[in-house]
Amino acid sequence: MERQNVCQSCGMEMKEAQLFGTEANGTPSDTYCCYCYKNGEFEDKNLTMQGMIDICAPYLVDAGDAKDLNEAEAILNDYMPTLKRWAK
């Protein structure tokens, strides 16, 4: 089941309108956030899932959702493949 209002690239909750990315025609994307997706394209088209994990892990630690980077990476290794961008 797809999560509502969760970026399907980085997993960030999108609670405010300004956090939604944009499609090529300028309309809000209900799939990806503004950090991952603008004007109908991913900001970093060459980013791998591991690269996204490396970017997101410190945020989990800062938010208190993981005690350290190792735990954050383990959480994200399980979570990221469930997101649309990384699903196989």
Side-chain angles (χ1 to χ4, degrees), residues 24-68:
N25 64 4
T27 61
S29 169
D30 62 355
T31 308
Y32 301 109
C33 76
C34 63
Y35 302 109
C36 292
Y37 195 74
K38 291 181 185 167
N39 300 317
E41 297 183 353
F42 288 109
E43 284 290 276
D44 186 347
K45 295 176 192 111
N46 297 315
L47 187 66
T48 63
M49 186 175 72
Q50 183 58 52
M52 184 63 78
I53 289 170
D54 294 343
I55 291 167
C56 294
Y59 291 103
L60 259 63
V61 176
D62 290 345
D65 295 326
K67 65 181 179 202
D68 58 30

Side-chain angles (χ1 to χ4, degrees), residues 5-22:
N5 296 328
V6 172
C7 177
Q8 293 296 303
S9 176
C10 69
M12 181 182 80
E13 286 187 81
M14 300 183 296
K15 293 182 179 180
E16 293 94 30
Q18 68 267 21
L19 294 177
F20 289 80
T22 54

